[in-house]
Amino acid sequence: MTWHLGRLAAFDTETTGIDVEADRIVTAAVYGLGGGEPVEPHDWFVNPGIAIPEDATKIHKITTEEAQLKGEPADDAADHIADVLAAYARDGATVVGHNVVYDLTLLDRELRRYGLATLQARLGLHPLHVIDTRVLDKHADQFRKRPSKTQGPQQLITLAQVYELPWDDEHAHGASYDALIAARVAHRIGTLAHTARADWPDRIKQVKRPRYGDFNGLSVAELHERQIEWAAEQAAGLQAHFRKSNPDAVVDGSWPIRPWAEPTTTDEPEEATA
């Protein structure tokens, strides 16, 4: 069975911001789907324990007051999310998401924040295989331009348009909606990879130097390893671009989870007095 036809665990979060080290989960979704089995929805509405900034509320429409009233405790939610993901991974499912390095890293930091076992610890020696639609799409269509000043070339809405999937602005930026769209994008990319170029849709035929064929015939494990390389290459290219205006710019290319660094303290010990 090719990698896009197996069982998937589609994963997404909506959060208090974009800093994986400091921000918190507000909603999350893990949907088991594909592989000839029924869809299994898992959704969480979380009280993050901190105020939700107005900018974040504008995106996912959840206020601090609503999260405090309806949300479950953040530690319980993080623990349950990790358990569900680990169960799917142990059963052979592949975790899929869009820019999923963000979601997996943020979940990792939430677990560490509450002294809970990380996803890797729960899996033990069992591998975690991941499909990141942002990494795959960027590799396949490396020269795509921004559709508009406000819409990036690898945004999820852009991928929905490119791969001719319906997009609902009212439900977008909901964790379950975005997780399911990412899974459908992965399926479309996988289908293109295993389809003769002559049979591609006209829109894809117009792509400049497409590399969908690089995904053909790979096992899930092989695709995972290639994405580690591609994510690093893409980050290096973005960093080089940023350094044209900011020589100190750094873009982390770690994938699928950014390494954890133990917090350090600069506090000097107090000197003993005689």
Side-chain angles (χ1 to χ4, degrees), residues 76-154:
D76 290 347
D79 196 28
H80 192 196
I81 295 166
D83 267 349
V84 170
L85 283 172
Y88 275 115
R90 283 193 298 269
D91 287 343
T94 304
V95 175
V96 60
H98 187 70
N99 194 29
V100 74
V101 62
Y102 168 82
D103 305 279
L104 288 172
T105 303
L106 194 137
L107 174 62
D108 178 83
R109 303 310 190 255
E110 287 273 49
L111 294 168
R112 294 177 187 275
R113 181 173 294 119
Y114 298 110
L116 300 168
T118 64
L119 184 56
Q120 297 98 314
R122 294 167 199 246
L123 288 172
L125 297 177
H126 198 287
L128 174 68
H129 292 142
V130 178
I131 294 172
D132 192 326
T133 51
R134 189 181 190 282
V135 173
L136 293 187
D137 177 71
K138 177 65 175 176
H139 181 79
D141 188 356
Q142 58 186 322
F143 301 111
R144 185 186 303 140
K145 304 297 184 183
R146 299 178 68 93
S148 70
K149 290 182 179 179
T150 59
Q151 186 174 322
Q154 266 73 47

Side-chain angles (χ1 to χ4, degrees), residues 8 14 23 28 47 54 65 96 103 119 126 136 163 174 189 203 206 212 224 246 263 265:
L8 302 174
E14 297 300 322
D23 281 305
N47 177 359
E54 184 177 340
E65 294 72 22
V96 60
D103 305 279
L119 184 56
H126 198 287
L136 293 187
Y163 299 109
I189 291 174
R203 183 168 189 156
Q206 296 171 11
Y212 292 97
H224 181 97
N246 178 7
T265 178

